[in-house]
């Protein structure tokens, strides 16, 4: 069996070399995302039966067709909106993700963004390092006593709810599938999306990106929100219409945004205008808009690193290794599309 790993740093490569795959398995490592590897290099590995990726690789049908023997895509993340699932299902390619690795890790990071945003910690730190002492200039807001709306109460969302409750917040939640135990314990009250929009001082997104919720935070939805609302997104950039968010941040309708994800983030992270030009007009447009968002004083943005703790990365790689071993040995493993 040949396994190709994309989006790898030294730590990832060392882990999978140290914790070996079953006898006879061959591992090939690329530091780049799959779309950034020259086609001739990819064709050299057309016999690959399994591929392991991170969120930056985008698996379109054109790339998948390069691997006629492919039977498994292992994504070292929870989300899988970067993979063409209909193609995989049609061609009997299993897609295995990693669940439960970062329910506390990502929730803690999201709350860290909120604390920094509401108390202007980063701004004050930057000023002091620049020699500016401004004791009364950067007045923030308490979190205690605020109403927090949480959209998506999976493992990460539930932990975020508990953190918010611990800070003395009223927590409203929306999910297609309510967690009755969470509501019974008094941590949250499930309400409609409209209620969350209208009553929340803070809104945090913790749902998967699907075709049905693409840019569901848009101009019309933002208009329903309280003036001065804070928005946190550690889920997927495609959930928010970036243009609408930019306008609301500029006008002050949205007081601030803490973003670990954003549309077309791969272009922003690589700071590559040439990459934008090779994609589409939409990609080019949003690469410019994203840079405008980054430049706003009321925005904290990080490069999709909410997962990045020592403990979470160990869990991610261990889970991925177990999936690859199960596949190689013909044992059962969970697939999101088969």
């Amino acid at each position: 069996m040949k396994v190709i790993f994309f989006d790898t740093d030294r730590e990832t490569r060392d882990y999978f070399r140290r914790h070996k795959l079953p006898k006879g398995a061959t591992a090939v490592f690329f530091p780049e995302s799959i779309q950034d590897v020259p086609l001739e290099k990819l064709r050299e590995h057309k016999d690959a039966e399994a591929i392991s990726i991170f969120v930056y690789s985008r698996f379109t049908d054109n790339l998948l067709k390069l691997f006629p023997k492919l039977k498994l895509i292992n994504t070292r993340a929870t989300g899988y909106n970067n993979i063409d699932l209909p193609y995989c299902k049609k061609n009997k390619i299993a897609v295995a993700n990693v669940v439960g690795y970062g329910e506390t890790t990502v929730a803690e990071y999201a709350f860290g963004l909120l604390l920094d945003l509401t108390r202007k910690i980063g701004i004050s730190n930057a000023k002091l390092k620049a020699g500016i002492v401004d004791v009364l200039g950067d007045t923030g807001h308490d979190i205690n006593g605020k109403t927090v709306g949480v959209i998506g109460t999976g493992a990460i969302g539930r932990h975020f709810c508990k953190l918010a409750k611990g800070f003395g917040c009223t927590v409203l939640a929306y999910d297609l599938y309510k967690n009755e135990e969470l509501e019974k314990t008094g941590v949250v009250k499930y309400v409609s999306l409209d209620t969350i929009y209208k009553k929340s001082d803070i809104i945090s997104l913790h749902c998967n990106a699907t075709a049905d919720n693409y840019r569901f935070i848009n101009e019309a939805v933002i208009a329903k929100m309280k003036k001065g609302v804070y928005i946190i997104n550690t889920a997927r950039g495609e959930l928010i219409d970036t243009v609408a968010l930019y306008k609301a941040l500029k006008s002050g309708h949205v007081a601030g945004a803490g973003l670990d994800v954003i549309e077309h983030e791969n272009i922003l992270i690589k700071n590559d205008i040439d990459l934008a030009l090779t994609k589409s007009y939409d990609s080019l447009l949003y690469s410019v808009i994203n840079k405008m968002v980054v430049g706003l004083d009321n925005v904290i943005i990080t490069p999709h690193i909410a997962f990045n703790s020592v403990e979470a990365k160990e869990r991610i790689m261990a889970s991925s290794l177990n999936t690859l071993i199960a596949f190689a040995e013909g044992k059962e493993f969970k697939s999101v599309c088969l």
Side-chain angles (χ1 to χ4, degrees), residues 10-287:
R10 182 185 297 175
E11 185 180 0
T12 302
R13 294 190 290 273
D14 286 348
Y15 181 92
F16 285 104
R17 285 168 178 153
R18 187 169 66 251
H19 299 80
K20 293 183 179 179
L21 295 170
K23 188 176 180 180
T26 303
V28 179
F29 297 95
F30 286 97
E32 307 97 329
S33 302
I34 187 170
Q35 65 270 14
D36 298 329
V37 177
L39 289 177
E40 58 269 22
K41 282 284 184 184
L42 295 177
R43 291 190 180 105
E44 290 176 10
H45 304 289
K46 63 182 181 181
D47 57 336
E49 295 176 61
I51 288 176
S52 179
I53 63 171
F54 192 52
V55 295
Y56 306 122
S57 283
R58 302 278 167 178
F59 259 94
T60 61
D61 58 352
N62 288 334
L63 288 174
L64 287 164
K65 287 174 183 175
L66 296 175
F67 305 99
K69 295 186 177 181
L70 185 64
K71 294 300 177 186
L72 169 67
I73 298 174
N74 159 239
T75 176
R76 303 186 303 276
T78 300
Y80 41 84
N81 61 307
N82 53 327
I83 301 168
D84 188 335
L85 287 187
Y87 180 94
C88 290
K89 188 172 184 179
K90 180 180 178 182
N91 291 276
K92 297 182 178 179
I93 300 170
V95 176
N97 63 337
V98 179
V99 295
Y101 75 89
E103 57 193 71
T104 59
T105 307
V106 177
E108 287 173 4
Y109 193 89
F111 219 86
L113 289 174
L114 177 58
L115 285 168
D116 196 342
L117 201 60
T118 54
R119 295 306 305 273
K120 305 186 179 180
I121 298 167
I123 291 173
S124 297
N125 177 58
K127 280 185 177 180
L128 194 59
K129 286 187 174 183
I132 303 169
V133 179
D134 189 6
V135 176
L136 299 177
D138 296 309
T139 305
H141 287 279
D142 290 348
I143 294 175
N144 179 272
K146 298 297 189 294
T147 297
V148 176
V150 179
I151 301 176
T153 55
I156 296 170
R158 289 196 300 273
H159 194 73
F160 185 90
C161 290
K162 292 173 184 176
L163 290 174
K165 190 70 174 178
F167 268 76
C169 300
T170 297
V171 186
L172 306 178
Y174 174 83
D175 198 297
L176 291 173
Y177 307 97
K178 294 180 181 179
N179 187 299
E180 293 182 5
E181 186 61 31
L182 190 68
E183 192 165 38
K184 282 180 183 177
T185 58
V187 174
V188 305
K189 179 182 179 183
Y190 279 97
V191 296
S192 68
L193 279 174
D194 267 2
T195 300
I196 282 182
Y197 300 147
K198 292 174 182 177
K199 293 193 174 182
S200 298
D201 303 297
I202 298 155
I203 294 176
S204 191
L205 308 184
H206 298 283
C207 49
N208 289 328
T210 67
D212 292 332
N213 64 17
Y214 177 67
R215 292 183 184 171
F216 82 100
I217 302 295
N218 51 43
E219 193 166 351
V221 164
I222 291 173
K224 296 179 182 179
M225 296 179 186
K226 282 186 176 183
K227 180 174 173 54
V229 67
Y230 290 94
I231 297 176
I232 307 294
N233 188 10
T234 53
R236 285 293 182 266
E238 290 81 5
L239 298 173
I240 299 178
D241 182 333
T242 315
V243 173
L245 179 62
Y246 176 78
K247 290 178 180 177
L249 287 161
K250 285 284 287 183
S251 72
H253 188 85
V254 173
L259 310 172
D260 186 49
V261 290
I262 196 167
E263 290 184 284
H264 300 287
E265 65 190 38
N266 58 324
I267 297 171
L268 177 66
I269 291 167
K270 294 179 181 181
N271 195 27
D272 192 347
I273 194 68
D274 291 330
L275 178 60
L277 288 169
T278 63
K279 301 295 180 181
S280 64
Y281 173 78
D282 196 45
S283 296
L284 180 59
L285 172 65
Y286 274 86
S287 70

Side-chain angles (χ1 to χ4, degrees), residues 272-309:
D272 192 347
I273 194 68
D274 291 330
L275 178 60
L277 288 169
T278 63
K279 301 295 180 181
S280 64
Y281 173 78
D282 196 45
S283 296
L284 180 59
L285 172 65
Y286 274 86
S287 70
V288 174
I289 292 166
N290 286 350
K291 287 183 181 295
M292 293 167 66
V293 171
V294 170
L296 294 174
D297 291 337
N298 53 347
V299 171
I300 300 170
I301 185 165
T302 53
H304 206 144
I305 58 171
F307 74 96
N308 191 19
S309 75

